[in-house]
């Protein structure tokens, strides 16, 4: 006659019966985290626009293909000129653009001009003249898509 003695290694008196190992993963916390991240990204995405706030004119032209981070000149309603997101005096524009194009590899690069639709036409033409003076031949004017 054999007797089964319950010891500390045999499960503490349960007579050898153990619960099977649970092989399921609880995905509810992961789904909750993903939904929170989705909401955060949906709210923050519209805030990630180009730095200078402008009211661009609208056209029905197609958008251009962009190959790399483009140079952008912006003219706001006050007539201030911005190179990408940095304010720059119009007299300093030509030397800065020449230095940038030498560092980037030449004048065959496209430069984008953004102008508020209520800004004086002469101010935008001064900027375009400075671009021509700096040697740029590929200038693109940025607009918004016409909603009508």
């Amino acid at each position: 006659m054999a007797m089964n003695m319950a010891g500390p290694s045999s499960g503490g008196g349960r007579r050898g019966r153990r619960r099977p190992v649970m092989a399921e993963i609880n995905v509810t916390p992961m789904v909750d985290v993903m939904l929170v991240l989705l909401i955060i990204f949906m709210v923050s995405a519209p805030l990630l626009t180009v730095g200078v706030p402008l009211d661009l004119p609208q056209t029905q032209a197609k958008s251009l293909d962009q190959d790399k981070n483009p140079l952008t000149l912006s003219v706001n309603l006050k007539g201030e000129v911005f190179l990408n997101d940095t304010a720059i005096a119009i007299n300093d524009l030509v030397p800065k653009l020449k230095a940038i194009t030498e560092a980037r590899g030449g004048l065959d690069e496209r430069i984008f001009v953004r102008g508020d639709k209520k800004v004086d036409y002469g101010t935008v033409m001064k900027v375009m003249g400075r671009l021509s003076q700096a040697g740029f031949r590929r200038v693109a004017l940025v607009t918004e898509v016409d909603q009508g």
Side-chain angles (χ1 to χ4, degrees), residues 63-140:
S63 63
L64 298 173
D65 296 330
Q66 294 182 6
D67 45 355
K68 58 182 177 180
N69 190 11
L71 280 175
T72 305
L73 274 176
S74 302
V75 182
N76 67 3
L77 189 57
K78 298 176 187 173
E80 299 169 333
V81 179
F82 295 85
L83 181 58
N84 286 345
D85 292 334
T86 309
I88 186 169
I90 197 163
N91 296 331
D92 298 336
L93 194 58
V94 174
K96 293 249 186 193
L97 286 173
K98 284 187 178 182
I100 290 172
T101 55
E102 287 175 9
R104 284 188 160 199
L107 294 171
D108 60 340
E109 185 175 359
R110 178 177 287 133
I111 186 165
F112 294 94
V113 177
R114 301 173 68 232
D116 196 287
K117 68 180 175 183
K118 294 179 181 174
V119 75
D120 183 36
Y121 184 71
T123 306
V124 175
M125 286 298 103
K126 279 184 192 175
V127 171
M128 298 284 287
R130 300 294 170 134
L131 288 175
S132 178
Q133 186 179 358
F136 281 95
R137 299 290 176 252
R138 297 181 68 197
V139 178

Side-chain angles (χ1 to χ4, degrees), residues 3 5 7 18 23 31 34 41 43 52 61 64 70 88 105 110 112 117 126-127 145:
M3 202 167 165
M5 300 283 292
R18 293 187 176 190
V31 171
M34 290 300 178
F41 288 132
V43 168
V52 181
L64 298 173
I88 186 169
R110 178 177 287 133
F112 294 94
K117 68 180 175 183
K126 279 184 192 175
V127 171
V145 177

Side-chain angles (χ1 to χ4, degrees), residues 5-72:
M5 300 283 292
S9 65
S10 67
R14 285 200 234 164
R15 300 207 173 214
R17 285 193 239 157
R18 293 187 176 190
R19 282 193 344 214
V21 178
M22 190 168 144
E24 297 175 4
I25 297 175
N26 188 3
V27 294
T28 304
M30 183 182 71
V31 171
D32 291 343
V33 169
M34 290 300 178
L35 287 174
V36 169
L37 287 175
L38 177 68
I39 291 170
I40 289 171
F41 288 132
M42 286 174 56
V43 168
S44 65
L47 303 175
L48 300 176
T49 59
V50 177
V52 181
L54 297 175
D55 187 16
L56 294 173
Q58 297 180 350
T59 63
Q60 294 182 357
K62 295 188 319 183
S63 63
L64 298 173
D65 296 330
Q66 294 182 6
D67 45 355
K68 58 182 177 180
N69 190 11
L71 280 175
T72 305

